[in-house]
Amino acid sequence: MSNSIDRLKHLKELLFIEREEDYYQYKEQFLRASIEQRKKNGVTWFPIQILSDELGYADYVHIEVERTNQLDTPYRFSAGKNVSLFSNKNPDEQLEITGTIKQSGKNKMKIILHTDELPDWCYDGRLGINIQFDDNSYIEMQKALDEVIGARNNRVAELREIIEGNEVPTFEKIDDSIVVPQLNISQNKAVRHILSANDIAVVHGPPGTGKTTTIVQAIRLVLQTEKQVLVCAPTNTAVDLLTEKLIEQGVNVLRVGHPARVSEDLLKTTIDGQIQTHINYKDIKSLRKTAEEYFKMASKFKRTFGKEDAKQRALFYSEARNCIKESRLLEDYIVDSLFENAQVICCTPVTSTNKALVKKKFETLFFDEASQALEAISWIPLLKCKRVIFSGDHFQLPPVVKSVKAKQEGLDKTMLDSCIKHDTISSLLTRQYRMHQHIMAFSNAYFYNNELEADATVKDTLLSLNEHIDILHVPIELIDTAGCSFDESQNPETLSLSNKGEADLLFKHLDLLLQQYNFAGETQKIDVGIISPYKEQIELLKEKLVDFDYSAYQVNELDVKTIDGFQGEERDVIYISLVRSNLNSEIGFLSDIRRMNVALTRAKKKLVVIMDTATIGNHPFYKSFIEYCEKNNFYKSAWEYSYEA
């Protein structure tokens, strides 16, 4: 036991180091910089104008803002981040109000402010938006680790020792009669494995193997013997997907989370959304309106008034407070009933600390995308549960760790990494439904011991069956830019990298592909995704996309994102620009092969990878990929497309 507690104490120290590094980066980008530098760093918009404001969900003010200079420059704002709206009109007076980003566009942003009324200073001009440092997740992780470290002779202590590898997880006898008709053999095996677990089980779901489908069916079956289940994932996108799939199965789901962080389509499943459709909501509104009228009547009395006026004023205030108290009691009653009656409560780990969940206990926690969650954050919801079912793939995106020291000492090691070492704990999903068998084959061999099999519905799917049109009939192209002098360049401010030569080549190839797709007479519209690991390259590709007119082509969707942005998504065609091209064979974080596994497994019918093999090919992973492409005639030189260096 002492070994496990010592390790967790060290983990707590690493978490503190990570928090300090996170805050240091925030200060460098924000607190110590001038407003002009902050704008360049992408952490401030100033000046901005408010385009619209309205009262929305949970009686929060929703605003849309637009920046009025430095248009189209990169920024770090994104949906779900906390921000502050500030006024710079009077430097001696600090005027700001906090909010959460609902949606961010190129030059516009929708924000939900944490107030029911827009302050007067918002109408005086000289407004801006700042990113805020969010300490809440660190506080909750530290609290969770303290509880785990201090646990003795209880369920938390038992789970801790199992995860540490000091105890062996136990399983009931598997019931082979349980078969879900819509699931395949490996998916049904995983469901039976889940149902038999007393402590911990893992569903190992490689790309395209139907992990979410499997988990949803397992939850549905668990609900036959348990009244309520807690479901978590480290990202709001993953939580939303699970919520959506569970609702499709007729499950009563309560989605817990800030309205700004929840998909627009799922707002009706949130606490605020369900309150507003509750039969008693009209009574709450009526009480609030009455309170507002009493406050208005009280405010009409001047500061100097007689005894009778003072009595009347006090009476109005008293009545207003009584109405507010009654409306809150009624709202608390509704919230309690929502939490009581929901079959599944869906949230992120930090959101599981919601005050309505403080005293709640669950038999089972389902934790999806567990490969992306720090161990400390996984403990937050697990403290409420007797057993946990992890799902994910430890060969895909790892957790984000900013501190080099913390990462080197193991902060990025997840509970999934620890648990999957147990021989009996994991069940692998083996049939994939996303991609052509040749797109699957490299990752299958490198990561999954060739245990995956492409389903008959996808294994031979191509953009065209016409063998004479190579660009459409071949599922993979590795386009080698070695010798083309497509050198990488670094932005001195962001330190991120771009490669103009690769960007030009990519769009020329895409244009040719789409021309051939039209020429082949294909009428089905296709989705195209463009990926790069480097943000500077993403910005360059987005700029080029603006000038790329694909309206005449059979394209349904064409978007540019980082690898993380495409996690969990798929496209008919995927382009990957790897950027690195230098004389020293430096590849930076391209060496994170789990990230590259995600990128290489997003395409359904066509994968195009652009790289300088002279720079990247010395790394064992990329060397293997190059050899795979050469062996299967997927290798091409950029010169074959007659591009001039």
Side-chain angles (χ1 to χ4, degrees):
M1 183 186 292
S2 61
N3 286 343
S4 61
I5 290 173
D6 287 344
R7 191 192 68 81
L8 287 164
K9 284 179 178 177
H10 182 57
L11 185 64
K12 193 178 169 189
E13 291 169 6
L14 295 180
L15 195 62
F16 179 76
I17 292 169
E18 172 68 5
R19 190 261 177 210
E20 290 299 293
E21 176 61 26
D22 197 1
Y23 188 57
Y24 170 78
Q25 290 185 19
Y26 171 76
K27 284 193 295 186
E28 288 298 304
Q29 293 165 353
F30 183 75
L31 295 180
R32 292 179 184 166
S34 67
I35 199 163
E36 286 305 314
Q37 189 59 50
R38 297 201 316 258
K39 285 158 69 174
K40 285 182 182 177
N41 289 344
V43 295
T44 294
W45 277 9
F46 181 85
I48 57 109
Q49 60 179 341
I50 297 176
L51 300 177
S52 64
D53 64 278
E54 61 181 7
L55 207 58
Y57 268 100
D59 289 336
Y60 289 138
V61 173
H62 293 219
I63 63 170
E64 183 176 19
V65 303
E66 181 178 38
R67 57 177 166 177
T68 55
N69 68 10
Q70 288 193 321
L71 302 181
D72 305 337
T73 55
Y75 58 80
R76 297 174 186 269
F77 297 101
S78 60
K81 283 195 174 180
N82 288 330
V83 293
S84 62
L85 172 68
F86 68 90
S87 170
N88 209 31
K89 190 155 190 178
N90 184 357
D92 298 327
E93 194 176 4
Q94 190 173 2
L95 299 171
E96 65 175 4
I97 187 167
T98 61
T100 306
I101 299 172
K102 177 66 182 173
Q103 187 181 325
S104 60
K106 188 173 278 188
N107 295 303
K108 294 180 182 178
M109 207 186 302
K110 290 183 179 177
I111 301 167
I112 299 179
L113 296 175
H114 303 151
T115 182
D116 57 1
E117 190 177 359
L118 209 56
D120 292 340
W121 53 261
C122 292
Y123 303 100
D124 295 336
R126 293 195 61 78
L127 300 176
I129 299 289
N130 285 331
I131 282 181
Q132 286 197 311
F133 183 75
D134 188 1
D135 216 14
N136 188 44
S137 59
Y138 289 108
I139 293 168
E140 295 300 337
M141 284 191 281
Q142 294 282 8
K143 280 164 60 178
L145 287 178
D146 283 339
E147 188 170 338
V148 179
I149 290 166
R152 299 290 186 277
N153 303 316
N154 60 14
R155 187 55 177 157
V156 173
E158 290 171 356
L159 289 170
R160 178 189 67 209
E161 296 309 310
I162 292 169
I163 290 165
E164 287 294 318
N166 299 329
E167 300 289 340
V168 178
T170 63
F171 294 84
E172 299 297 322
K173 188 176 184 299
I174 288 177
D175 185 351
D176 290 323
S177 68
I178 298 170
V179 178
V180 181
Q182 58 265 49
L183 299 184
N184 64 39
I185 292 171
S186 69
Q187 290 171 331
N188 268 301
K189 184 181 174 185
V191 168
R192 291 192 290 269
H193 181 65
I194 288 167
L195 297 177
S196 71
N198 292 321
D199 312 294
I200 298 170
V202 172
V203 176
H204 183 190
T209 54
K211 171 177 62 68
T212 304
T213 300
T214 305
I215 292 302
V216 166
Q217 290 302 321
I219 292 169
R220 191 179 60 78
L221 290 174
V222 167
L223 286 170
Q224 292 179 3
T225 55
E226 296 175 22
K227 185 188 173 188
Q228 199 171 62
V229 165
L230 181 61
V231 174
C232 285
T235 67
N236 282 289
T237 304
V239 178
D240 284 345
L241 178 61
L242 282 163
T243 302
E244 191 180 309
K245 297 296 183 187
L246 286 163
I247 290 169
E248 287 174 5
Q249 292 295 314
V251 177
N252 178 7
V253 182
L254 182 62
R255 171 69 167 96
V256 183
H258 192 292
R261 297 187 176 102
V262 178
S263 163
E264 203 78 48
D265 298 334
L266 296 173
L267 283 173
K268 61 183 179 294
T269 69
T270 63
I271 299 169
D272 298 318
Q274 293 197 40
I275 286 173
Q276 292 191 12
T277 56
H278 195 276
I279 192 169
N280 295 124
Y281 182 63
K282 62 181 185 297
D283 298 325
I284 293 173
K285 282 189 79 173
S286 175
L287 285 164
R288 285 178 182 168
K289 189 176 180 184
T290 304
E292 196 176 320
E293 288 168 358
Y294 277 127
F295 276 127
K296 279 181 182 175
M297 286 189 280
S299 66
K300 287 177 183 176
F301 290 94
K302 295 178 181 176
R303 288 187 180 277
T304 54
F305 44 78
K307 270 189 179 179
E308 287 304 314
D309 287 345
K311 268 188 184 178
Q312 192 62 45
R313 184 172 185 264
L315 184 64
F316 284 145
Y317 273 130
S318 177
E319 288 297 330
R321 282 192 290 268
N322 286 338
C323 287
I324 290 171
K325 185 179 178 182
E326 199 174 331
S327 72
R328 283 177 180 163
L329 285 170
L330 190 52
E331 191 169 309
D332 288 344
Y333 164 76
I334 295 172
V335 170
D336 287 344
S337 69
L338 291 176
F339 276 95
E340 183 65 28
N341 296 322
Q343 291 176 285
V344 173
I345 293 171
C346 280
C347 58
T348 60
V350 174
T351 313
S352 70
T353 60
N354 182 288
K355 64 178 183 179
L357 286 169
V358 168
K359 293 181 180 177
K360 266 196 168 293
K361 295 291 181 184
F362 302 85
E363 287 292 319
T364 305
L365 164 66
F366 281 85
F367 199 115
D368 195 20
E369 302 295 0
S371 62
Q372 295 181 57
L374 293 173
E375 179 181 345
I377 213 164
S378 301
W379 273 116
I380 298 172
L382 184 48
L383 292 172
K384 300 175 182 295
C385 306
K386 292 183 179 177
R387 68 169 184 155
V388 58
I389 312 301
F390 290 117
S391 52
D393 180 9
H394 54 297
F395 297 126
Q396 292 191 63
L397 288 182
V400 174
V401 175
K402 294 181 178 179
S403 164
V404 174
K405 176 178 169 61
K407 187 170 185 176
Q408 286 173 343
E409 295 191 28
L411 184 62
D412 65 340
K413 183 185 176 186
T414 68
M415 273 196 194
L416 185 68
D417 294 328
S418 300
C419 293
I420 213 150
K421 291 175 182 176
H422 287 283
D423 294 335
T424 58
I425 214 167
S426 177
S427 185
L428 177 70
L429 303 181
T430 57
R431 183 170 290 266
Q432 73 85 13
Y433 297 88
R434 173 180 297 158
M435 64 201 99
H436 189 283
Q437 57 188 330
H438 290 317
I439 299 175
M440 174 195 76
F442 174 71
S443 286
N444 191 19
Y446 201 93
F447 294 103
Y448 306 110
N449 299 315
N450 283 318
E451 292 186 69
L452 306 187
E453 181 184 0
D455 189 70
T457 57
V458 299
K459 73 173 188 174
D460 296 316
T461 54
L462 294 161
L463 288 174
S464 174
L465 296 177
N466 188 333
E467 295 180 18
H468 301 294
I469 311 178
D470 273 4
I471 201 166
L472 305 180
H473 190 69
V474 176
I476 299 176
E477 279 185 69
L478 164 58
I479 304 178
D480 186 4
T481 66
C484 292
S485 298
F486 289 172
D487 298 331
E488 64 188 56
S489 61
Q490 186 177 53
N491 183 320
E493 291 180 356
T494 65
L495 302 182
S496 186
L497 299 166
S498 62
N499 190 316
K500 185 180 181 300
E502 278 194 12
D504 291 340
L505 170 60
L506 189 153
F507 274 98
K508 286 175 182 175
H509 186 280
L510 174 58
D511 191 43
L512 179 61
L513 182 146
L514 294 176
Q515 284 180 35
Q516 293 298 318
Y517 193 73
N518 272 17
F519 178 75
E522 300 292 341
T523 56
Q524 184 180 350
K525 288 196 171 186
I526 56 174
D527 296 322
V528 180
I530 300 174
I531 298 176
S532 179
Y534 290 92
K535 288 183 179 177
E536 198 68 25
Q537 184 75 344
I538 291 293
E539 294 306 320
L540 177 59
L541 290 164
K542 283 181 176 178
E543 285 174 20
K544 294 189 71 65
L545 180 59
V546 171
D547 299 324
F548 183 73
D549 182 12
Y550 57 91
S551 58
Y553 298 132
Q554 296 295 323
V555 177
N556 181 49
E557 186 179 4
L558 202 170
D559 46 14
V560 179
K561 297 180 186 178
T562 60
I563 297 172
D564 295 49
F566 272 105
Q567 169 71 1
E569 297 188 14
E570 60 189 26
R571 298 289 186 272
D572 296 303
V573 181
I574 287 286
Y575 281 84
I576 305 173
S577 169
L578 291 181
V579 176
R580 300 312 300 257
S581 179
N582 56 70
L583 297 174
N584 303 318
S585 296
E586 292 176 358
I587 67 169
F589 61 75
L590 289 189
S591 57
D592 186 347
I593 61 174
R594 290 180 294 178
R595 236 177 195 83
M596 282 312 303
N597 185 34
V598 173
L600 293 171
T601 54
R602 300 304 98 194
K604 293 157 70 175
K605 301 175 182 178
K606 176 80 176 183
L607 172 67
V608 182
V609 182
I610 302 174
M611 72 159 84
D612 179 347
T613 60
T615 298
I616 300 173
N618 292 324
H619 187 282
F621 174 80
Y622 296 100
K623 185 172 184 286
S624 297
F625 180 67
I626 293 163
E627 288 170 353
Y628 170 74
C629 290
E630 287 174 336
K631 179 183 174 184
N632 290 280
N633 295 318
F634 299 148
Y635 173 90
K636 290 191 177 181
S637 167
W639 296 105
E640 292 183 48
Y641 289 99
S642 301
Y643 292 111
E644 295 180 4

